[in-house]
Amino acid sequence: MIYQGILVYQVIMVIASLLFLIVVSRGKVTTTGRLMLMVAFLCLFMNAASLMGLTSKTMEAMIVALKLKYVGVAFVGTFFFIFCAKYCNHPIKTWIQVLLQVWNVFVVICVWTMERNTLFYSKMNFVTDHDR
């Protein structure tokens, strides 16, 4: 029952992210508008990958979904932070933005190479309904 509830919630989030992306893309093309569009795209990407992970039938498919999800997870916070700063007319130095993006790339590389390191996951289990 909980699984179905989470699945329905994730479908709603994918639809909401898609609608958010459509609404934001129709707005004025400014720097803050582009940043919000990037946030909307990353939210859609992250939620779609989460849904893909929830519906995975194998461990390999779940790992692929997890790796895709982290593209959104790693970058969405930074882009939203930069958007908020620009929206509030609070400049962020370029070197800080570059440092944040380099950190995000590092996080994505760590997740994409999780089979060879234990920085994010030391152990993974794949549980299906018939395993319980």
Side-chain angles (χ1 to χ4, degrees), residues 16-26 36-42 44:
S17 297
L18 183 60
L19 291 173
F20 179 54
L21 182 63
I22 291 168
V23 168
V24 170
S25 66
R26 290 182 168 194
M36 187 48 77
L37 186 61
M38 192 64 184
V39 169
F41 173 75
L42 289 169
L44 175 63

Side-chain angles (χ1 to χ4, degrees), residues 1-131:
M1 184 65 180
I2 293 175
Y3 172 76
Q4 287 82 11
I6 293 171
L7 196 60
V8 168
Y9 172 77
Q10 203 59 49
V11 168
I12 291 169
M13 291 288 75
V14 169
I15 293 168
S17 297
L18 183 60
L19 291 173
F20 179 54
L21 182 63
I22 291 168
V23 168
V24 170
S25 66
R26 290 182 168 194
K28 200 175 184 184
V29 181
T30 62
T31 304
T32 52
R34 282 190 208 111
L35 285 168
M36 187 48 77
L37 186 61
M38 192 64 184
V39 169
F41 173 75
L42 289 169
C43 286
L44 175 63
F45 196 80
M46 186 173 55
N47 284 307
S50 294
L51 182 60
M52 191 172 108
L54 282 172
T55 58
S56 298
K57 301 292 183 205
T58 64
M59 178 74 140
E60 293 77 22
M62 190 210 41
I63 289 174
V64 168
L66 186 66
K67 289 178 180 182
L68 291 174
K69 177 180 166 184
Y70 263 92
V71 172
V73 169
F75 288 95
V76 74
T78 300
F79 278 107
F80 189 66
F81 171 69
I82 295 169
F83 165 79
C84 290
K86 288 210 184 282
Y87 187 77
C88 295
N89 294 321
H90 183 71
I92 300 175
K93 294 181 180 174
T94 305
W95 70 270
I96 294 174
Q97 292 182 36
V98 169
L99 184 64
L100 289 170
Q101 298 300 356
V102 166
W103 175 255
N104 293 337
V105 170
F106 173 73
V107 168
V108 169
I109 289 171
C110 288
V111 171
W112 282 355
T113 60
M114 74 172 123
E115 294 88 356
R116 296 187 262 318
N117 67 57
T118 56
L119 294 172
F120 276 84
Y121 299 101
S122 59
K123 183 179 177 184
M124 293 183 76
N125 294 319
F126 188 74
V127 179
T128 59
D129 286 339
H130 58 78
D131 291 339

